Amino acid sequence: MIKRWQESGVLSTLKCRRAVSLAGARQCGKTTLAMSLPLSSSRHFTLDDAKIAEVARNDPSGFVNRAAGETLIIDEIQKIPELLNSIKINVDRSDERGQYLFTGSANLYFVKAVTDSLAGRVGRVRLRTLSLGEINGASPDFLAAAFERRFPSRVAGCDKRAAISLATRGGYPETVGMDVRERRGWFAAYLNDLLMKDVRDITEIRKLDTLRDIAEWLLAHSSKFFETSELAAKTGVSKATVENYISTLKAMFLFDEVRPWSKSDYGRIGKRSKFFASDSALVANILGWTDESIYMDGDMSGKLIETWVYQNLASLADLDMDYEISHYRDSLKREIDFIVERSDGAMLGIEVKSGSSFGAEDFKHLKWFAKNLAKGEFTGIVLYAGEDTLRFGEGFYAVPLAALGA
């Protein structure tokens, strides 16, 4: 079994909070992680089981009763959100740590029936699909090392074709070992179940076909800028409806919003976010892209590899509250794919190249940002499909994509 980086995060949160929410997309490995934790005493129930769900719905207060020292693990709690009120009552009566661990495939702040989010009482941990480092059995060191400007001098095995293969495979544990045909069928069924069944657990959306259209649009525009008014015109619904549907897809952990970097929070107003599929395999497999078609199309390969890089950076940033990921774009079209800012003001600027060719021009915006906007120490990185780490001046490096999982 692949060891998950968030195992230590869940355990440490259980030690300091009365209840813990382990949230993430369906099939990302939440139950497997929860069941593998070395807890001294625990019981486990899944609300995907209709009989268990019926018991929980009929007697929520009895269902969440637990013995002292026991951790009650409840899977897919968004299916019976009324349980949260009973959990609130119990955790208010006892300050014992680690009383409850519940998993969910939806953001509980968005679930329609949630009347109490347990704010202040619950610790929250996000689990993503497998990162390259987890698949490789590596330690989660890339961001910490990058801030120290420590990069492997050479990492072999990730040219453009290999990077595309990794991105189309993605990180859903169930699909990592599948062949192309099996994987494509799995993702088709996965998206259909999410949009036609699971969405009803969190909100009331009647136009499910429109929700699918919006999901596929977002997949096709993963990492790209777009206007919601354009999407509204394409789907024939109002801009407000489009924004509500996008919020639903975010709440189901299918997409993440990366906000623009600015000198201040006020400066973000009016600037556009970028949206990323939470796993690059969703993009390739739902849209029917093949490795060969991606290789031959610069737009496809650029979107896919940037989404895959985001997936890996986010998995690392989730482990440490010190990191925040944003992007940069200004009116003069200076762009940086990712800004990773540490709480002390140090920053990484990361540009993504899907191919092996690059030059000084690829560092132009990074060097401009370092000179004009960086608030602390700035390190500029161009991730590319090659093998060697190369220095392009003090604090600027071309780094192999494979270093993300080395």
Side-chain angles (χ1 to χ4, degrees):
M1 185 174 70
I2 295 174
K3 183 174 178 61
R4 302 308 303 266
W5 286 343
Q6 277 289 22
E7 178 181 313
S8 59
V10 177
L11 288 171
S12 63
T13 308
L14 282 167
K15 289 178 181 178
C16 65
R17 304 302 289 272
R18 304 176 196 185
V20 176
S21 168
L22 178 60
R26 275 276 192 178
Q27 298 294 321
C28 71
K30 300 183 297 297
T31 301
T32 301
L33 173 56
M35 294 302 294
S36 69
L37 295 172
L39 302 174
S40 58
S41 177
S42 65
R43 281 185 298 140
H44 170 254
F45 298 105
T46 177
L47 299 180
D48 277 333
D49 185 317
K51 292 181 180 178
I52 298 294
E54 183 178 4
V55 172
R57 188 175 290 108
N58 290 331
D59 183 16
S61 60
F63 186 81
V64 301
N65 279 343
R66 44 171 289 281
E70 179 183 61
T71 299
L72 189 60
I73 302 171
I74 304 172
D75 272 338
E76 303 302 339
I77 200 164
Q78 77 281 350
K79 289 185 171 293
I80 317 245
E82 296 83 2
L83 291 176
L84 292 171
N85 188 56
S86 297
I87 290 173
K88 174 182 178 293
I89 292 171
N90 284 357
V91 299
D92 283 348
R93 289 172 177 165
S94 169
D95 63 0
E96 182 185 332
R97 297 328 191 217
Q99 297 179 46
Y100 297 94
L101 171 60
F102 44 85
T103 76
S105 301
N107 186 331
L108 293 177
Y109 287 121
F110 194 84
V111 176
K112 63 177 186 284
V114 170
T115 57
D116 195 309
S117 64
L118 276 75
R121 299 173 179 85
V122 61
R124 301 179 188 278
V125 178
R126 169 79 182 267
L127 186 67
R128 297 180 183 271
T129 57
L130 294 167
S131 64
L132 178 63
E134 287 173 310
I135 293 170
N136 290 345
S139 299
D141 299 331
F142 177 81
L143 287 180
F147 276 104
E148 296 176 6
R149 299 178 178 176
R150 292 187 292 106
F151 302 102
S153 59
R154 183 178 177 84
V155 189
C158 197
D159 61 11
K160 182 175 180 178
R161 288 192 182 277
I164 290 169
S165 178
L166 289 169
T168 56
R169 180 182 67 176
Y172 283 90
E174 186 76 15
T175 66
V176 165
M178 288 183 179
D179 63 28
V180 173
R181 184 174 179 179
E182 290 174 328
R183 190 169 61 226
R184 190 157 296 176
W186 187 92
F187 275 101
Y190 175 79
L191 188 64
N192 185 71
D193 286 346
L194 282 180
L195 300 185
M196 300 299 153
K197 298 176 183 177
D198 288 9
V199 71
R200 295 183 179 128
D201 291 332
I202 65 170
T203 191
E204 295 176 0
I205 287 181
R206 294 182 178 87
K207 298 181 177 180
L208 295 178
D209 288 341
T210 301
L211 182 64
R212 175 182 285 278
D213 289 343
I214 290 172
E216 292 185 359
W217 169 279
L218 290 177
L219 289 172
H221 289 77
S222 182
S223 84
K224 297 294 185 181
F225 291 101
F226 65 89
E227 296 284 355
T228 52
S229 56
E230 179 187 3
L231 180 48
K234 289 280 188 182
T235 54
V237 296
S238 69
K239 183 178 177 181
T241 298
V242 165
E243 290 171 349
N244 180 51
Y245 283 19
I246 290 175
S247 294
T248 300
L249 294 168
K250 286 170 53 185
M252 298 175 75
F253 302 108
L254 286 175
F255 297 93
D256 287 349
E257 179 179 0
V258 175
R259 300 179 68 200
W261 182 89
S262 179
K263 291 182 180 179
S264 69
D265 288 337
Y266 301 108
R268 295 180 193 257
I269 298 172
K271 295 184 178 181
R272 285 190 289 174
S273 297
K274 291 170 75 172
F275 290 86
F276 289 84
S278 58
D279 191 289
S280 55
L282 280 165
V283 176
N285 290 280
I286 294 299
L287 298 180
W289 295 356
T290 66
D291 284 17
E292 190 62 28
S293 67
I294 297 165
Y295 184 84
M296 299 301 294
D297 188 306
D299 183 58
M300 279 187 187
S301 59
K303 288 187 291 190
L304 188 69
I305 299 302
E306 188 175 335
T307 299
W308 178 73
V309 168
Y310 168 74
Q311 173 187 339
N312 282 275
L313 292 176
S315 293
L316 290 158
D318 285 348
L319 302 175
D320 195 326
M321 296 288 287
D322 278 351
Y323 300 133
E324 180 181 358
I325 300 176
S326 58
H327 73 87
Y328 181 79
R329 188 192 200 199
D330 62 25
S331 59
L332 297 178
K333 296 185 178 180
R334 287 183 288 245
E335 295 186 32
I336 298 175
D337 294 330
F338 301 107
I339 301 290
V340 182
E341 189 166 9
R342 201 168 59 187
S343 58
D344 64 358
M347 305 174 81
L348 305 176
I350 300 175
E351 284 279 84
V352 180
K353 299 282 289 182
S354 60
S356 58
S357 299
F358 64 91
E361 182 72 10
D362 295 299
F363 289 87
K364 181 173 68 174
H365 295 167
L366 292 167
K367 292 189 174 183
W368 178 87
F369 189 98
K371 181 179 179 181
N372 295 281
L373 293 178
K375 296 182 286 186
E377 184 176 71
F378 183 88
T379 301
I381 300 168
V382 172
L383 290 172
Y384 78 109
E387 298 184 348
D388 297 302
T389 294
L390 303 169
R391 182 170 151 171
F392 276 72
E394 179 65 28
F396 296 90
Y397 304 85
V399 178
L401 284 165
L404 289 166

